[in-house]
Amino acid sequence: MSLGGGLPRAYPGAMSLTADTPVGTDARAAAPGVPPEVDVAEAVLDVCRAARAASKALATATRATKDAALLAVADALVAQAPRVVAANGRDLERGAAEGLPANLLDRLRLDADRLGAIADAVRDVAALPDPVGEVVRGQTLPNGLRLRQLRVPMGVVAVVYEARPNVTVDAAALALKSGNAVVLRGGSAARETNALVVEVVREALAAAGLPADLVSTVDAYGREGVRALMRARGLVDVLVPRGGAGLIAEVVRSSTVPVIETGTGNCHVYVDAAADLDVALAVALNSKTQRTSTCNTAETVLVHAAVADAFLPSLLTAMSAAGVRLHGDDAVRAAAEPLDGVDVEPATDEDWATEYLALELAVGVVPDLDAALAHVDRWSTGHTEAVVTRDLAVAERFAAEVDSAAVMVNASTRFTDGAQMGLGAEIGISTQKLHARGPMGLAELTTTRWVVTGDGHVRG
Amino acid sequence: MSLGGGLPRAYPGAMSLTADTPVGTDARAAAPGVPPEVDVAEAVLDVCRAARAASKALATATRATKDAALLAVADALVAQAPRVVAANGRDLERGAAEGLPANLLDRLRLDADRLGAIADAVRDVAALPDPVGEVVRGQTLPNGLRLRQLRVPMGVVAVVYEARPNVTVDAAALALKSGNAVVLRGGSAARETNALVVEVVREALAAAGLPADLVSTVDAYGREGVRALMRARGLVDVLVPRGGAGLIAEVVRSSTVPVIETGTGNCHVYVDAAADLDVALAVALNSKTQRTSTCNTAETVLVHAAVADAFLPSLLTAMSAAGVRLHGDDAVRAAAEPLDGVDVEPATDEDWATEYLALELAVGVVPDLDAALAHVDRWSTGHTEAVVTRDLAVAERFAAEVDSAAVMVNASTRFTDGAQMGLGAEIGISTQKLHARGPMGLAELTTTRWVVTGDGHVRG
């Protein structure tokens, strides 16, 4: 399934919530339609209250009810394709007029085919097992008390995102399947598309006998609305920001609602002295070039000095042939010197720190595993790191000491993905340690409740 | 084991971090010893950096190493009892001079017996299974990739607390056992005790061959130090506030570090129409009076109208006899009228909202289960609610629809406790939904890492 196959990235230059356009600056700028007499904060809290009330109906709904609603949503999206495509056309027109780059316009674009794929993804979510009601742990205590820890919905999930309109549907489907209401705040570049998609989803829910308020949007309230959403503690149970580093940092800074950070991936591939160099080349190339815009793409390759001479020429030549712009330390640049048509710029600290999300790579030579681990510890964002080695002790130490959500041993960094890992669709990839780490699927949108049954048990 | 048997409460009136003395107001007030030229924020970050470095040594330590260190800590606390008791005596003297109430002085007091019990609790933690290294999930994918989700330490845990000095040791023991470093900020009333206890623990760790920086305190840096700790994102992985509602609210508001809320418990007992009234009386009495200062103590009893006449006289008489001050709605007050020596004040919204933590109780009559659920939904803090009923459908609905960390069916609210639930010692009881809900034991102080092993796997 395609949800989250690659996390959507920020649209640099779009009218979205990034580090360049901080929340709270010119708060109503993105909500020109809100009359000044409207209390935006209160209006957003009303949306959250309605979502909370609706969530109670869904919390105890059966899987059959939820799946039927999801299938109705999928059908409605297909049935309303012409209207959605038309609304999307207006977003595209405005984007073009405002100078949105061609690649971003392409991401924004919805046609009947893409909408069909989005509807199929909703059907895939319907086909996933329901996480709600799972007995996570349970036992009978010596005093006869019966304990069950049950998986239950969070309640209200908020998603703030910048990217492609498919996130609107993906987030709604995952929230509904896990028994939650969702409050959405999408990128302003897609605002007409998102508004109509939310309307279509709400109508489908109501027709299926569920409250429309299970899915709502605060797009109409601009940046001031996002601020209110981030402060809706007690009404919103978790906020998931999806987008660029600027958005995520701002949400983390400003939220009193619990946040799960997703998606920044400065991922490393370490080629050990004991690496199979053919495997190393394949893993490095795939990690870098298979899809550059995703958070699980490698941004740095570190090579053990013992294999640098044997490996760097083929690595640099292959990366160069794949169109990858290269940055290297002195050893790497020296190795590139004799290679025809391979150009390696000097790597700076900024290169080691950068998540390029493009055909661009930093390459370094390290004297040993310790140095590789120290480099990763300093520069990684804690997403995914890969080691290529035939040495069991090296693999074990790398896996034990790298402090990231995922470690790949002789495999591409691109496998850190809910669908690839057999976990089903994901709402994002968590790079924090609390609650969810790595791909966040349905179970990560739930919490638990202890139910303890006695026969009049009291404490002595 | 006694850790967290009842959460410590705030010392109202103590020189601690409460709603009355917000963080950031008169920031150096509690750190009179810090010279003005010291950059407190940087000093606290240095403490966190040292903790982080030390945590790496512990992350891969075996259980045997960790348990040996814990036993050494327990022995050192006993060996140093005279010094600790002397330091505690100075805290008690200062507290008495500053007018600390007698019950708070009692909580602050450490004697050789109490220190022995604290050391025993550390030995109990050593005897618990090690959560680190557990394979939480795992499978081999169709393409041959081998997946394991491993339980690993968080890294650095921070605990901000107001209460009894035993929390210093409890928190350190739980953090160490789960492979984490801990940075502590204790209540200023216990500052000499805490400073010496931390010193004793650090010396014991060093003697056991582990870094002393696994356990440190920022008490010396006053409230400005707490602020820095709450902002040490990237260095501190999770912050657990333990104490009163004011402390917790302030931490939630000011932290950029992920926080787990603990401990506010406005717990309810609902006596259903189908209740066994003897069971109801026993459960209500135990929930209210067994230990009033704990977060799992009941603060409101709701009685179904159908059994109000039969139940209220015995409930009100028994509570009154137990010294419980009563607040009731009109129906409850009418029922109390003919009872000898039973006085019921009118219950206000403030009563329904209050976590008394004392021999004080609000009592209401509800027309049906729906009204009981609505009352709980409005006033509960999401900690623990109990239902007393013989009706399976009522029990199931109460358990399904109450949105709290724990639901007790025919059992006292006082069972929401790590030790009582057979989960081992706890660092607090989470009332939030993210990461941990209910008693937080060793597993809740860990995160997970995906380790994916291939044979040169790449994505197509």
Side-chain angles (χ1 to χ4, degrees):
Chain A
M1 138 181 6
S2 71
L3 304 194
L7 281 184
R9 311 313 315 170
Y11 291 176
M15 296 193 317
S16 59
L17 187 71
T18 69
D20 301 326
T21 54
V23 176
T25 306
D26 194 10
R28 280 163 191 271
V34 181
E37 69 274 16
V38 170
D39 182 339
V40 165
E42 198 50 41
V44 168
L45 292 182
D46 279 343
V47 170
C48 296
R49 285 185 196 108
R52 186 143 211 94
S55 76
K56 299 203 179 286
L58 199 66
T60 53
T62 61
R63 170 171 179 180
T65 300
K66 292 187 284 190
D67 288 354
L70 287 170
L71 296 178
V73 165
D75 292 345
L77 287 168
V78 171
Q80 298 294 329
R83 282 176 69 206
V84 174
V85 171
N88 185 252
R90 292 191 293 276
D91 281 332
L92 288 168
E93 218 168 282
R94 199 182 61 249
E98 286 165 356
L100 212 60
N103 63 325
L104 299 185
L105 285 172
D106 180 60
R107 284 200 198 178
L108 178 57
R109 179 170 291 115
L110 283 187
D111 53 25
D113 277 359
R114 286 189 179 182
L115 209 50
I118 289 171
D120 284 344
V122 174
R123 294 189 184 100
D124 288 342
V125 170
L128 289 172
D130 188 343
V132 174
E134 182 196 348
V135 180
V136 179
R137 285 186 278 184
Q139 63 172 321
T140 299
L141 297 178
N143 62 6
L145 275 180
R146 285 85 74 195
L147 260 66
R148 287 172 297 157
Q149 186 179 30
L150 297 174
R151 196 169 286 294
V152 296
M154 285 271 183
V156 178
V157 175
V159 184
V160 178
Y161 55 106
E162 296 173 315
R164 301 166 297 181
N166 66 304
V167 176
T168 310
V169 180
D170 293 357
L174 289 166
L176 291 171
K177 179 78 186 201
S178 52
N180 297 291
V182 66
V183 179
L184 300 161
R185 151 66 184 185
S188 51
R191 64 178 176 234
E192 296 217 31
T193 313
N194 285 341
L196 183 56
V197 165
V198 168
E199 188 187 315
V200 169
V201 171
R202 288 171 61 95
E203 281 166 5
L205 289 173
L210 286 175
D213 286 334
L214 287 170
V215 177
S216 40
T217 168
V218 294
D219 282 0
Y221 301 108
R223 295 190 197 116
E224 198 178 338
V226 193
R227 281 176 64 89
L229 190 61
M230 293 191 295
R231 299 260 163 191
R233 196 169 175 98
L235 293 173
V236 172
D237 294 296
V238 62
L239 192 155
V240 182
R242 282 189 62 163
L247 166 72
I248 291 169
E250 176 58 35
V251 168
V252 165
R253 199 161 43 234
S254 303
S255 284
T256 56
V257 163
V259 169
I260 297 185
E261 261 191 274
T262 67
T264 311
N266 185 15
C267 304
H268 297 74
V269 175
Y270 166 59
V271 178
D272 182 52
D276 177 319
L277 296 185
D278 293 333
V279 166
L281 187 61
V283 166
L285 265 178
N286 190 262
S287 297
K288 177 70 255 182
T289 66
Q290 201 253 342
R291 191 165 166 203
T292 56
S293 63
T294 60
C295 58
N296 55 20
T297 289
E299 309 293 4
T300 293
V301 172
L302 300 172
V303 180
H304 191 291
V307 291
D309 287 348
F311 184 60
L312 283 174
S314 56
L315 175 77
L316 300 175
T317 302
M319 286 288 179
S320 209
V324 177
R325 182 175 164 194
L326 295 163
H327 308 262
D329 62 17
D330 290 347
V332 171
R333 298 188 75 216
E337 195 72 33
L339 304 176
D340 258 2
V342 174
D343 184 39
V344 180
E345 299 163 47
T348 63
D349 275 1
E350 203 188 325
D351 289 304
W352 305 126
T354 296
E355 187 188 17
Y356 296 115
L357 297 172
L359 285 170
E360 199 164 351
L361 179 73
V363 185
V365 171
V366 288
D368 52 27
L369 175 59
D370 285 319
L373 289 169
H375 183 106
V376 167
D377 191 56
R378 172 153 184 209
W379 299 109
S380 168
T381 54
H383 190 296
T384 301
E385 331 297 337
V387 58
V388 182
T389 188
R390 287 174 299 199
D391 184 329
L392 177 61
V394 170
E396 296 274 312
R397 222 190 121 198
F398 195 87
E401 295 188 21
V402 161
D403 190 20
S404 296
V407 170
M408 299 289 157
V409 179
N410 297 323
S412 169
T413 57
R414 291 275 295 126
F415 283 107
T416 303
D417 172 273
Q420 291 293 320
M421 290 166 74
L423 306 171
E426 71 190 22
I427 202 161
I429 296 179
S430 165
T431 52
Q432 74 177 42
K433 297 182 185 176
L434 221 60
H435 186 74
R437 200 175 192 202
M440 281 186 69
L442 292 172
E444 284 74 20
L445 291 175
T446 65
T447 181
T448 58
R449 179 184 308 137
W450 287 101
V451 176
V452 182
T453 306
D455 312 291
H457 283 68
V458 296
R459 274 181 74 172
Chain B
M1 136 183 7
S2 70
L3 304 193
L7 281 184
R9 312 311 315 171
Y11 291 177
M15 297 192 318
S16 60
L17 187 70
T18 71
D20 301 324
T21 53
V23 177
T25 305
D26 194 10
R28 280 164 190 271
V34 181
E37 69 274 17
V38 170
D39 183 337
V40 165
E42 198 51 41
V44 167
L45 292 181
D46 279 345
V47 169
C48 296
R49 285 185 197 106
R52 186 144 210 91
S55 75
K56 297 201 178 289
L58 199 66
T60 54
T62 61
R63 171 172 179 181
T65 300
K66 292 187 285 192
D67 288 354
L70 286 170
L71 296 178
V73 164
D75 292 345
L77 287 168
V78 172
Q80 299 293 330
R83 283 177 67 206
V84 174
V85 171
N88 184 252
R90 293 192 292 277
D91 281 333
L92 287 168
E93 218 169 281
R94 199 181 60 250
E98 287 166 356
L100 213 59
N103 63 328
L104 300 184
L105 285 173
D106 180 60
R107 284 201 200 178
L108 178 56
R109 178 171 292 115
L110 282 187
D111 53 26
D113 277 358
R114 288 188 178 182
L115 209 51
I118 290 172
D120 283 345
V122 175
R123 293 189 185 99
D124 288 341
V125 170
L128 289 172
D130 188 343
V132 174
E134 182 196 347
V135 180
V136 178
R137 284 187 280 184
Q139 64 172 321
T140 299
L141 296 178
N143 63 5
L145 274 180
R146 283 85 74 195
L147 260 65
R148 286 174 297 158
Q149 187 180 29
L150 297 173
R151 198 170 285 292
V152 297
M154 284 271 184
V156 178
V157 175
V159 184
V160 178
Y161 56 104
E162 296 173 314
R164 301 166 297 182
N166 66 305
V167 176
T168 310
V169 179
D170 292 357
L174 289 166
L176 291 170
K177 178 77 186 202
S178 53
N180 297 291
V182 67
V183 179
L184 300 161
R185 152 66 183 185
S188 51
R191 66 179 175 234
E192 295 214 35
T193 313
N194 285 341
L196 183 57
V197 165
V198 168
E199 188 187 316
V200 169
V201 171
R202 287 170 61 94
E203 281 167 6
L205 289 173
L210 286 175
D213 286 333
L214 287 171
V215 177
S216 40
T217 169
V218 295
D219 282 0
Y221 301 109
R223 293 188 200 116
E224 198 179 338
V226 193
R227 280 176 64 88
L229 189 61
M230 293 192 294
R231 298 263 163 189
R233 196 170 174 95
L235 293 174
V236 172
D237 294 296
V238 62
L239 191 155
V240 182
R242 281 188 61 163
L247 167 72
I248 291 170
E250 176 58 36
V251 167
V252 165
R253 197 159 46 234
S254 303
S255 283
T256 56
V257 163
V259 169
I260 297 185
E261 260 190 274
T262 67
T264 310
N266 185 16
C267 304
H268 296 74
V269 175
Y270 167 58
V271 178
D272 182 50
D276 176 319
L277 297 184
D278 292 333
V279 166
L281 187 61
V283 166
L285 266 179
N286 190 261
S287 297
K288 177 69 255 182
T289 65
Q290 201 252 342
R291 191 166 165 201
T292 56
S293 63
T294 61
C295 58
N296 55 19
T297 289
E299 310 292 5
T300 293
V301 172
L302 300 173
V303 180
H304 191 292
V307 291
D309 287 348
F311 185 61
L312 283 173
S314 56
L315 175 77
L316 299 174
T317 304
M319 287 287 178
S320 209
V324 176
R325 181 174 162 193
L326 295 164
H327 308 262
D329 61 18
D330 290 346
V332 172
R333 298 188 75 214
E337 196 72 33
L339 304 175
D340 256 3
V342 175
D343 185 41
V344 180
E345 299 163 47
T348 64
D349 275 1
E350 203 188 325
D351 288 304
W352 305 126
T354 297
E355 187 189 16
Y356 296 115
L357 298 172
L359 284 172
E360 199 164 351
L361 178 73
V363 185
V365 171
V366 289
D368 53 26
L369 175 59
D370 284 317
L373 289 169
H375 183 106
V376 167
D377 192 55
R378 173 154 184 210
W379 299 110
S380 168
T381 53
H383 190 297
T384 300
E385 329 298 337
V387 59
V388 181
T389 188
R390 286 173 300 198
D391 183 329
L392 177 61
V394 170
E396 295 276 310
R397 220 189 124 198
F398 195 87
E401 295 187 22
V402 161
D403 190 21
S404 296
V407 170
M408 299 289 155
V409 179
N410 297 323
S412 169
T413 57
R414 292 274 296 126
F415 283 108
T416 303
D417 173 274
Q420 291 294 321
M421 290 166 74
L423 306 170
E426 70 190 22
I427 202 162
I429 295 180
S430 165
T431 52
Q432 74 176 43
K433 297 183 184 175
L434 220 61
H435 186 74
R437 200 174 191 201
M440 283 186 68
L442 291 171
E444 284 73 20
L445 290 175
T446 66
T447 181
T448 58
R449 181 185 305 138
W450 287 101
V451 176
V452 182
T453 307
D455 313 290
H457 283 67
V458 296
R459 275 182 71 172

